[in-house]
Amino acid sequence: MSERPVCEPSTEEILAEVERRRAVARPAPSERTRALVIALDRVIFWVTKHWAAILNGIALAYVGLPFVAPVLMLAGADGAARIIHLAYSPMCHQLPQRSWYLFGPQPAYSVSELLALVGEQELAGRWSRAFIGNPAVGYKVALCQRDVAIYGTICAAGLVYSVLRRRVRIRPLRWWAYVAFGVLPMLVDGGYQWVSYLVAAIWPGNPYIQPHETTPLLRTVTGALFGLATVWLAFPHVEATMAEIGENLRQRFGWQ
């Protein structure tokens, strides 16, 4: 008698058998572990429903706290104000000539105005962030003008998005529009300023080469455009992702 041919198992069958053996060998999770996983899933599910409020709250806190520093300075709590300035220093240059001031005669000052009002010694150089204001000029906000415009607009645009998304579907901004209207204006304004200072540093004393200092209005406009474009680009994508995650958890656990 001829032997019957033995059929080789397919790749799918081998993988299924490996997975079956792993499932048998894998210990069942304890009740504590299962409870922890479910609790984390509940947190994630809550975030999928309230993500816009969370992001708007973070933006509001981030742009609002720097304005507390001048209030603390006015109240005599210099140490607490300096802590706020120190906390924001890794994220912002905080240059005195590019920042807002509260409780003074003007909301902003040029380098020459600051030198005339407070003196070079107290200003500690045009590139020093150490100067945070005095009664003569007011007290400096802990974020520069452009950053205030960026994060302030992110907060405002995020709130508007939260209201509008319940009524209309907002499509994300195209990438080319984000670059053209959000990134490019700020890049041109700030980039030209930076290059002008670099060239002036390479050829010091040249009367034909003067560093260009942009204006508070341009910093505010370009920063606001960037903040608005960022929300328009990012929030619709975040909403779609959160909706997908929330729907998966809803089907899995029946949560509402």
Side-chain angles (χ1 to χ4, degrees), residues 40-57:
L40 291 175
D41 283 337
R42 283 191 177 276
V43 172
I44 295 172
F45 185 69
W46 182 86
V47 170
T48 63
K49 299 175 67 175
H50 303 283
W51 64 268
I54 295 171
L55 293 182
N56 292 334

Side-chain angles (χ1 to χ4, degrees), residues 159-204:
L159 292 173
V160 172
Y161 181 90
S162 300
V163 174
L164 293 180
R165 72 190 181 104
R166 303 178 186 279
R167 304 175 182 178
V168 296
R169 180 187 177 188
I170 302 175
R171 296 183 180 276
L173 188 67
R174 300 290 184 90
W175 277 104
W176 66 265
Y178 178 73
V179 173
F181 300 108
V183 177
L184 194 57
M186 188 172 64
L187 187 63
V188 170
D189 183 48
Y192 175 59
Q193 177 181 252
W194 183 84
V195 170
S196 72
Y197 273 93
L198 177 63
V199 173
I202 295 174
W203 289 284

Side-chain angles (χ1 to χ4, degrees), residues 83-167:
I83 290 175
I84 295 176
H85 279 274
L86 181 63
Y88 280 83
S89 61
M91 287 80 72
C92 180
H93 57 68
Q94 299 175 326
L95 293 177
Q97 71 272 24
R98 300 177 188 173
S99 300
W100 297 114
Y101 290 78
L102 299 183
F103 313 116
Q106 296 179 199
Y109 301 89
S110 65
V111 173
S112 59
E113 289 173 329
L114 287 171
L115 289 173
L117 289 169
V118 304
E120 185 174 357
Q121 184 175 0
E122 186 173 355
L123 192 60
R126 69 190 305 161
W127 300 113
S128 174
R129 66 176 65 181
F131 179 73
I132 61 174
N134 61 25
V137 298
Y139 302 104
K140 190 177 74 173
V141 176
L143 272 181
C144 71
Q145 294 159 353
R146 201 186 307 271
D147 281 356
V148 168
I150 290 172
Y151 296 106
T153 304
I154 286 176
C155 179
L159 292 173
V160 172
Y161 181 90
S162 300
V163 174
L164 293 180
R165 72 190 181 104
R166 303 178 186 279
R167 304 175 182 178

Side-chain angles (χ1 to χ4, degrees), residues 65-83:
L65 187 58
F67 285 87
V68 177
V71 177
L72 292 173
M73 289 290 293
L74 184 67
D78 295 15
R82 292 185 183 278
I83 290 175

